């Protein structure tokens, strides 16, 4: 009963955000209680005798606790695996540092026994010990451009130790220097230039030979020793701008015995430079093809593989920093700030600070960077087994969320903070371990994880149980029959029944026995395995869970389960292959409707009604022109005339919302139509949400024809008649003239045809006239 209460408690923890899964039991092939437990995190088994009905498969015993109780299974008859958290080692957090190994993380060892798919949560506490030792390794770029900076660093010892003493009494400092690989094209390989690579104009200056990385001073608490060693350092030089920074940091990280890192300390590497860095692959320019092996290669405090091994990658360096609990501080000039910020983003627990031109602010920069690093606690995990996930919930004043990490920022020294750690195993496993630890801190928590995938039924040892007709034993409420007997209660002996009647109960209407997918045993189908290894199921083995529609080569898109050939989608998904998230975001319009109410949203896309176009069903290319279809409504609503004059509100009031205007204000298509009174009507229609909803702007003034002028008509008619009469008279006159002309021509032609003699008539005498003047005398 206690186990059952614990199980219910874990289910209810989802209300606090630890698990947001829906409590369902997704069953596959269930032949036993163990199969049920492996099916899903919320599957439980009912061992109650006679729980299943006659002919019902024993898989019905497997379901959620609520479903089984609703079907009559007693609470005490429900079986589920034991789930527990056991603290193997839980030493309390240390209050202060006292030269012994302090405890800053609690617990230290924990064992979990969980169910696959069911999250389990425990709490981890952390407190940074006051006065915790600090190891600071000062790694300096000694290329020629850092000449002024070296002079300041030589005077740095006292102020740097003073700053560290404010943090802890147990501080140590080391020193190292780097330039670049001593091969072309990084360094001038001329013999004289190798020995003295500095600027020739300053021939009297002290300059040391070119080198890749040199370890100068192991960790020491002595200010004097630090000062003396740094005073002996001189500037060097190389050819190109980027330096061998990553080479130097990798050796400083992996050569712990050379550097002198302590087991219990905060490890810091302070890199000061004014240039970028070479990384993996750049070595090919010099013919160096061997990848960096992340091993220590120091002889005589000098990196001897500098010219033989490529630069490390940023990923390799980040992994070693994490493994060695080292936190880098990049102290760079302003022009390199962006480059190293990008590098810092790829290296956990790192900081970037901007140097002045001569590095005189380096102490202040280190103090500020250390403060940011130490006040930010990041808890993460290593060596996580497959099929296991870990989620962190920080409990502090300034929690931050991140993938696979729990982060608390601005945590002062001595303040205790906590993280709720939720672990989920998705498959059965035995004694898999992983570690949880704060970045940059040595303390770790070892988590040993095992899953409980077996039922503990406490069965009685009767081999011939009365429930099984004394022909078998009871195992978790179901019968395990002796040889020669089959059936739910071992009631069927092979050859004891009429074979024909038994086989008939295994056939559907098509007469096929168990659909050729199983064997008929004692009147019930025992289904075969599919090609993929699961089982057919159903009373007649008619179903399988492997032939549903696929999406992106995943059964049911990976977002649902296949049940008898049909995808049953998980909550929040839809589609025939569960390929779509249930969402209407892609169907939303500017007025916050779905597809303008002219379609339905399926798979986050509009399925428009006939004629309307995607993506939002806003326009309809195949629909009749509304200028024509809505003309009668426009006439009756705007001018109270037309075919709908008597029932205008009923016919048009619900689909058109008119406004009479003097002039148009929106730029929709202009409709210019002639109404029933032969008037030209100008209006504009704007389709609203839905299929038959329009906003109409109707121009108040119609363009109607003017009434007829009677006087003009009469006058015109008379004038027309007179004109027609005149034309008729002229036509008659023309016809008469043409006829006379025709007759005259005929006469002329006849005249030309007549033959007359041309001699003079002797009898003819011309008439004579004599005139006498009486007064004429002849004189």
């Amino acid at each position: 009963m206690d186990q059952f209460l614990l199980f219910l408690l874990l289910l209810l923890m989802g209300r606090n955000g630890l698990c947001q899964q829906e409590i369902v039991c997704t069953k596959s092939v269930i032949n036993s209680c163990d199969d049920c437990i492996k099916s899903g995190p919320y599957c439980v088994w009912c061992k109650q005798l006679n729980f299943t009905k006659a002919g019902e498969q024993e898989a019905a015993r497997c379901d959620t606790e609520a479903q089984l109780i609703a079907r009559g299974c007693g609470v005490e008859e429900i079986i589920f695996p034991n789930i527990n958290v056991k603290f193997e080692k839980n030493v309390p957090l240390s209050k202060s540092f006292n030269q012994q190994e302090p405890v800053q993380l609690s617990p230290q060892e924990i064992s979990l026994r969980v169910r696959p798919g069911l999250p389990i949560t425990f709490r981890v506490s952390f407190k940074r010990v006051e006065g915790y030792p600090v190891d600071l390794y000062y790694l300096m770029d000694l290329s020629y451009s850092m000449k002024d900076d070296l002079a300041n660093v030589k005077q740095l010892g006292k102020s740097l130790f003073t700053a560290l003493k404010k943090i802890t009494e147990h501080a140590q400092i080391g020193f190292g220097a780097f330039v670049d690989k001593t091969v072309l094209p990084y360094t001038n390989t001329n013999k004289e230039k190798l020995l003295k690579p500095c600027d020739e104009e300053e021939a009297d200056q002290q300059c040391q030979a070119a080198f890749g990385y040199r370890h100068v001073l192991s960790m020491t608490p002595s200010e004097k020793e630090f000062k003396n060693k740094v005073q002996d350092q001189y500037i060097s030089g190389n050819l190109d701008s980027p330096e061998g920074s990553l080479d130097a940091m990798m050796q400083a990280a992996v050569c712990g015995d050379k550097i002198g890192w302590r087991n219990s300390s905060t490890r810091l590497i302070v890199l000061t430079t004014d240039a970028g860095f070479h990384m993996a692959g750049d070595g090919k320019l010099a013919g160096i093809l061997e990848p960096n092996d992340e091993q220590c290669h120091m002889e005589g405090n000098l990196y001897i593989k500098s010219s033989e091994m490529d630069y490390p990658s940023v990923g390799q360096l980040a992994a070693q920093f994490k493994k060695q609990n080292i936190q880098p501080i990049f102290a760079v000039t302003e022009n390199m700030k962006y480059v190293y910020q990008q590098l810092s983003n790829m290296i956990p627990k790192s900081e970037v600070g901007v140097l002045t031109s001569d590095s005189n602010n380096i102490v202040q920069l280190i103090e500020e960077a250390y403060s940011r690093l130490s006040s930010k606690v990041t808890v993460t995990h290593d060596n996580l087994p497959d099929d296991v996930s870990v989620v962190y919930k920080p409990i502090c004043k300034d929690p931050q969320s991140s993938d696979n990490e729990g982060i608390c920022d601005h945590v002062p020294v001595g303040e205790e903070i906590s993280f709720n750690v939720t672990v989920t195993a998705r498959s059965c496993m035995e004694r898999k371990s992983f570690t949880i630890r704060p970045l940059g801190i040595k303390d770790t928590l070892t988590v040993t994880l095992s899953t409980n995938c077996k039922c503990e039924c406490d069965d009685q040892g009767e081999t011939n149980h009365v429930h099984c007709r004394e022909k078998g034993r009871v195992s978790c409420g179901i019968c395990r029959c002796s040889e020669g007997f089959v059936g739910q209660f071992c009631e069927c002996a092979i050859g004891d029944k009429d074979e024909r009647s038994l086989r008939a109960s295994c056939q559907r209407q098509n007469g096929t026995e168990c659909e050729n997918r199983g064997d008929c045993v004692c009147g019930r189908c025992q289904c075969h395995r599919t090609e993929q290894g699961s089982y057919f199921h159903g009373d007649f083995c008619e179903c399988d869970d492997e032939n549903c529609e696929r999406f992106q080569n995943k059964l049911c898109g990976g977002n649902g389960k296949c049940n008898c050939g049909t995808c049953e989608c998980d909550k929040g998904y839809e589609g025939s292959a569960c390929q779509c998230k249930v969402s209407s975001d892609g169907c939303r319009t500017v007025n916050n409707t779905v597809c303008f109410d002219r379609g339905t949203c399926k798979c986050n896309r509009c399925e428009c009604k006939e004629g309307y176009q995607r993506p939002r069903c806003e326009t309809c290319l195949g629909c009749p022109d509304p200028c024509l279809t809505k003309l009668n409504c426009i006439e009756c609503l705007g001018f109270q005339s037309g075919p709908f004059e008597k029932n205008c509100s009923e016919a048009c009031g619900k689909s058109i919302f008119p406004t009479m205007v003097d002039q148009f204000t929106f730029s929709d298509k202009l409709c210019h139509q002639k109404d029933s009174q032969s008037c030209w009507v100008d209006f504009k229609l704007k389709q609203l949400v839905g299929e038959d909803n329009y906003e109409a702007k109707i121009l108040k003034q119609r363009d109607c024809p003017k009434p007829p002028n009677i006087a003009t008509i009469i006058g015109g008619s008379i004038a027309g008649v007179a004109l027609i009469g005149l034309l008729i008279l002229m036509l008659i006159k023309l016809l008469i003239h043409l006829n006379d002309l025709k007759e005259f021509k005929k006469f002329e032609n006849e005249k030309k045809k007549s033959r007359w003699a041309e001699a003079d008539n002797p009898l003819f005498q011309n008439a004579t006239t004599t005139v006498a003047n009486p007064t004429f005398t002849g004189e």
Side-chain angles (χ1 to χ4, degrees):
M1 189 64 184
D2 293 340
Q3 295 176 359
F4 179 66
L5 292 175
L6 176 60
F7 177 69
L8 289 179
L9 176 62
L10 289 170
L11 296 184
L12 292 173
M13 288 170 75
R15 297 177 59 186
N16 295 325
L18 297 178
C19 57
Q20 297 295 333
Q21 269 183 283
E22 185 180 358
I23 300 177
V24 294
C25 175
T26 306
K27 295 182 288 185
S28 54
V29 180
I30 307 298
N31 292 318
S32 65
C33 181
D34 289 352
D35 291 339
C36 176
I37 298 304
K38 295 174 183 178
S39 293
Y42 302 110
C43 292
V44 295
W45 180 266
C46 179
K47 68 175 182 177
Q48 182 174 300
L49 298 180
N50 298 317
F51 176 72
T52 53
K53 300 176 183 178
E56 186 177 12
Q57 295 184 358
E58 296 296 348
R61 294 177 177 274
C62 182
D63 214 322
T64 62
E65 178 260 345
Q67 291 291 334
L68 292 179
I69 293 178
R71 289 169 50 201
C73 185
V75 174
E76 68 281 355
E77 299 290 341
I78 294 178
I79 300 173
F80 48 87
N82 187 26
I83 301 172
N84 60 60
V85 179
K86 184 178 180 182
F87 294 94
E88 303 288 353
K89 184 178 181 181
N90 193 7
V91 180
L93 299 174
S94 300
K95 295 182 179 179
S96 62
F97 181 75
N98 55 3
Q99 299 296 335
Q100 296 180 354
E101 191 74 25
V103 177
Q104 299 183 103
L105 185 70
S106 179
Q108 294 79 40
E109 294 181 15
I110 192 171
S111 295
L112 305 178
R113 192 159 180 82
V114 301
R115 280 196 61 176
L118 188 65
I120 189 168
T121 300
F122 56 90
R123 180 165 293 187
V124 175
S125 299
F126 175 82
K127 181 171 68 174
R128 186 179 295 278
V129 173
E130 188 172 359
Y132 193 68
V134 174
D135 287 343
L136 186 149
Y137 191 69
Y138 197 98
L139 191 56
M140 186 169 184
D141 176 7
L142 288 186
S143 60
Y144 188 76
S145 58
M146 293 289 287
K147 178 181 178 182
D148 294 341
D149 304 79
L150 178 61
N152 282 325
V153 172
K154 291 182 177 182
Q155 310 300 323
L156 190 65
K158 184 175 182 179
S159 56
L160 188 55
F161 270 92
T162 301
L164 290 177
K165 292 298 182 182
K166 294 178 183 178
I167 300 171
T168 176
E169 292 294 324
H170 311 286
Q172 292 189 152
I173 296 182
F175 188 86
F178 67 92
V179 182
D180 208 346
K181 297 183 184 296
T182 54
V183 292
L184 284 173
Y186 316 117
T187 303
N188 192 331
T189 55
N190 181 280
K191 185 175 181 181
E192 293 181 358
K193 277 293 185 180
L194 280 175
L195 294 175
K196 189 174 182 180
C198 302
D199 195 342
E200 296 179 355
E201 295 180 0
E202 300 183 29
D204 57 338
Q205 67 178 343
Q206 291 180 301
C207 178
Q208 62 174 317
F211 63 96
Y213 162 66
R214 176 179 288 115
H215 171 57
V216 178
L217 175 65
S218 298
M219 292 294 174
T220 176
S222 171
E223 175 185 337
K224 182 178 180 181
E225 187 177 2
F226 177 80
K227 182 177 180 180
N228 291 339
K229 284 290 185 179
V230 176
Q231 286 290 344
D232 294 337
Q233 299 306 305
Y234 300 104
I235 211 71
S236 185
N238 62 327
L239 290 177
D240 62 343
S241 178
E243 317 292 5
S245 315
L246 301 194
D247 260 347
M249 287 191 288
M250 175 61 77
Q251 291 302 301
V254 299
C255 298
D257 55 338
K258 304 284 186 182
I259 305 300
W261 300 114
R262 288 175 290 184
N263 288 332
S264 298
S265 66
T266 299
R267 301 177 177 182
L268 303 175
I269 289 181
V270 178
L271 178 80
T272 59
T273 183
D274 62 350
F277 52 85
H278 285 294
M279 54 186 171
D282 288 356
K284 293 180 180 179
L285 294 172
I288 302 174
L289 304 179
E290 183 179 354
N292 195 284
D293 62 2
E294 302 180 46
Q295 301 296 318
C296 181
H297 299 286
M298 299 286 292
E299 289 186 11
N301 290 333
L302 193 66
Y303 177 35
I304 61 172
K305 293 283 187 177
S306 175
S307 300
E308 303 173 19
M309 195 171 291
D310 196 6
Y311 302 96
S313 68
V314 175
Q316 286 178 307
L317 189 63
Q320 285 298 329
F321 279 166
K322 183 178 180 181
K323 180 179 179 181
Q324 304 297 335
N325 298 317
I326 294 173
Q327 305 174 60
I329 298 174
F330 302 112
V332 298
T333 51
E334 181 67 36
N335 63 314
M336 286 289 110
K337 179 181 177 181
Y338 177 77
V339 173
Y340 281 88
Q341 280 180 338
Q342 297 302 307
L343 178 61
S344 178
N345 292 337
M346 293 183 280
I347 299 179
K349 293 291 284 184
S350 61
E351 286 290 334
V352 178
V354 177
L355 287 169
T356 56
S357 59
D358 57 0
S359 300
N360 61 10
N361 67 329
I362 184 64
V363 175
Q364 179 185 356
L365 187 152
I366 292 173
E367 286 181 324
E368 293 173 352
Y370 175 78
S371 177
R372 292 192 297 269
L373 286 172
S374 62
S375 64
K376 185 175 183 178
V377 180
T378 302
V379 173
T380 186
H381 48 262
D382 293 320
N383 305 317
L384 192 67
D386 294 336
D387 287 339
V388 176
S389 63
V390 181
V391 177
Y392 301 91
K393 182 180 179 182
I395 303 174
C396 53
K397 295 178 182 178
D398 188 6
Q400 299 179 11
S401 60
S402 178
D403 294 340
N404 300 320
E405 291 180 348
I407 301 173
C408 283
D409 208 350
H410 305 107
V411 180
V413 175
E415 179 178 302
E416 183 175 338
I417 58 174
S418 301
F419 298 85
N420 281 342
V421 183
T422 301
V423 179
T424 306
R426 292 182 292 274
S427 62
C428 296
M429 60 187 67
E430 287 295 329
R431 295 193 64 80
K432 298 286 186 178
S433 296
F434 63 95
T435 58
I436 293 175
R437 64 188 181 91
L439 291 180
I441 304 295
K442 181 185 177 184
D443 299 66
T444 61
L445 163 62
T446 301
V447 180
T448 303
L449 179 66
S450 297
T451 55
N452 199 340
C453 296
K454 296 185 178 295
C455 292
E456 299 173 359
C457 298
D458 298 327
D459 295 319
Q460 298 179 358
E462 298 182 39
T463 56
N464 296 313
H465 199 282
V466 64
H467 178 70
C468 303
R469 307 293 192 268
E470 297 183 350
K471 298 296 188 296
R473 61 183 180 85
V474 173
S475 174
C476 294
I478 61 176
C479 287
R480 298 300 181 191
C481 301
S482 302
E483 186 176 357
F485 295 90
V486 293
Q488 187 175 6
F489 305 105
C490 305
E491 71 279 11
C492 186
I494 298 176
D496 190 355
K497 299 290 181 179
D498 178 62
E499 183 177 357
R500 183 175 181 180
S501 62
L502 289 176
R503 291 188 177 279
S505 62
C506 296
Q507 299 174 359
R508 288 206 293 180
Q509 295 179 353
N510 59 8
T512 304
E513 186 177 297
C514 299
E515 299 295 325
N516 288 329
R517 295 175 171 179
D519 299 322
C520 186
V521 179
C522 200
R524 296 182 64 191
C525 288
Q526 289 187 353
C527 300
H528 296 159
R529 285 182 180 269
T530 64
E531 294 181 359
Q532 287 74 21
S534 61
Y535 283 91
F536 295 103
H537 62 92
D539 292 337
F540 303 97
C541 304
E542 72 274 14
C543 295
D544 71 86
D545 299 336
E546 296 168 352
N547 288 313
C548 289
E549 188 174 343
R550 292 177 176 268
F551 178 69
Q552 293 182 346
N553 204 29
K554 294 181 181 178
L555 194 66
C556 297
N559 302 314
K561 63 178 181 179
C562 180
N563 186 9
C564 203
T566 303
C567 287
E568 296 178 355
C569 300
D570 296 338
K571 185 177 181 181
Y573 290 89
E574 63 181 351
S576 58
C578 304
Q579 72 273 27
C580 311
K581 286 188 176 181
V582 176
S583 173
S584 61
D585 293 344
C587 304
R588 289 283 173 186
T589 63
V590 292
N591 52 6
N592 201 30
T593 64
V594 175
C595 305
F596 285 102
D597 285 351
R598 297 193 278 271
T600 56
C601 191
K602 295 181 180 180
C603 284
N604 207 22
R605 294 181 64 193
C606 285
E607 295 288 341
C608 302
K609 294 182 179 179
E610 185 177 359
Y612 288 96
Q613 304 298 307
R614 287 179 176 174
R616 301 289 188 276
C617 309
E618 185 172 2
T619 59
C620 182
L621 300 182
C623 297
D625 187 357
C627 289
L628 297 175
T629 59
K630 300 302 179 184
L631 175 61
N632 292 336
C633 284
I634 292 295
E635 184 179 357
C636 80
L637 290 171
F639 306 101
Q640 295 77 46
S641 62
F644 296 152
E645 179 180 357
K646 295 182 179 180
N647 61 339
C648 188
S649 59
E650 181 179 349
C652 307
K654 296 180 180 179
S655 62
I656 297 181
F657 304 95
T659 304
M660 305 299 294
V661 297
D662 294 319
Q663 60 181 9
F664 295 117
T665 56
F666 58 82
S667 59
D668 291 71
K669 175 186 175 183
L670 175 65
C671 298
H672 183 67
Q673 300 293 328
K674 183 178 288 188
D675 62 12
S676 62
Q677 298 180 355
S678 297
C679 294
W680 289 99
V681 181
D682 290 336
F683 59 96
K684 290 189 176 184
L685 292 174
K686 180 178 182 181
Q687 191 170 15
L688 305 177
V689 175
E691 289 185 81
D692 196 24
N693 277 337
Y694 291 89
E695 177 188 0
K697 301 290 185 181
I698 308 172
L699 202 62
K700 292 180 180 179
Q701 187 65 41
R702 287 189 294 180
D703 185 10
C704 296
K706 295 180 180 180
N709 190 324
I710 302 300
T712 304
I713 294 175
I714 294 174
S717 299
I718 293 173
V721 171
L723 179 61
I724 292 172
L726 180 62
L727 291 175
I728 291 174
L729 291 174
M730 293 177 68
L731 180 61
I732 292 172
K733 180 64 177 175
L734 177 62
L735 292 174
I736 293 172
H737 174 73
L738 292 175
N739 186 58
D740 291 343
L741 185 61
K742 179 180 178 182
E743 291 295 327
F744 177 76
K745 287 183 177 181
K746 182 178 180 182
F747 170 77
E748 288 289 330
N749 290 331
E750 290 293 335
K751 182 180 178 181
K752 290 178 181 180
K753 292 179 181 179
S754 64
R755 298 181 180 272
W756 302 98
E758 295 183 357
D760 292 334
N761 187 351
L763 297 180
F764 177 74
Q765 290 184 358
N766 287 331
T768 60
T769 301
T770 302
V771 179
N773 189 351
T775 60
F776 181 69
T777 60
E779 293 181 0

